[in-house]
Amino acid sequence: GQQLNQSPQSMFIQEGEDVSMNCTSSSIFNTWLWYKQDPGEGPVLLIALYKAGELTSNGRLTAQFGITRKDSFLNISASIPSDVGIYFCAGYTGANSKLTFGKGITLSVRP
Amino acid sequence: EAGVVQSPRYKIIEKKQPVVFWCNPISGHNTLYWYLQNLGQGPELLIRYENEEAVDDSQLPKDRFSAERLKGVDSTLKIQPAELGDSAVYLCASSQGQPNSPLHFGNGTRLTVT
């Protein structure tokens, strides 16, 4: 199946540190999306990637579409307390495919 | 622009009772989705609408779940009768409908079945 793997399940970092998360699959994806979910809220789109090798930034966030099209990376630089939350990767394998989500990584930031 | 609006935010019901969730998508978004999110998991698709038509309901447990989007805008998701295992967050999302469009989510309805 079209499973997206995110690990570890939880990450703990110090405020000001950079953090990198990755998302991998055995299937080829043609679109990667990164979402953040705060407690009690729905996922919010952070970055969308549409081409292999694409590198896109959104403020302190940078994401890359892997060259193999089977992975994607999200980097957060100079973390702050409000970066706390669950980060999901999601992707489409084709034009008419459904959006598949990973299980998410819970990020904690120590002040 | 206003986001996806869902109601209620929380619902507690006893098992075997019915429950209905409501969703108003972003204006102009003709594709609407209902997702189920269990604790510690990513969202999983239940049903996708293109305007009024349900184009993917393969993951919807049709013995107890039903959905409507009669005028191609608002949508309802109904569970009847609810079971203990239905306790979860039900998320509604919408998109502009082009292939591989990002989804925009509402804040969800947290359902607790006792």
Side-chain angles (χ1 to χ4, degrees), chain B residues 80-93:
Chain B
Q80 181 176 24
E83 297 179 352
L84 294 176
D86 296 331
S87 296
V89 175
Y90 292 82
L91 293 164
C92 179

Side-chain angles (χ1 to χ4, degrees), chain A residues 24-102:
Chain A
T24 62
S25 176
S26 58
S27 301
I28 290 176
F29 284 75
N30 65 8
T31 299
W32 289 95
L33 305 172
W34 284 91
Y35 285 87
K36 177 176 183 272
Q37 187 173 27
D38 291 330
E41 298 184 8
V44 174
L45 180 69
L46 297 175
I47 292 179
L49 302 160
Y50 298 103
K51 291 175 60 176
E54 180 180 355
L55 186 70
T56 298
S57 294
N58 178 7
R60 295 178 294 105
L61 277 60
T62 301
Q64 184 162 25
F65 192 138
I67 289 292
T68 66
R69 297 172 63 193
K70 294 182 178 181
D71 57 10
S72 178
F73 302 86
L74 175 70
N75 296 303
I76 304 173
S77 63
S79 59
I80 59 178
S82 62
D83 291 333
V84 166
I86 305 175
Y87 290 81
F88 291 99
C89 65
Y92 289 104
T93 56
N96 293 314
S97 66
K98 68 177 183 179
L99 186 63
T100 300
F101 281 82

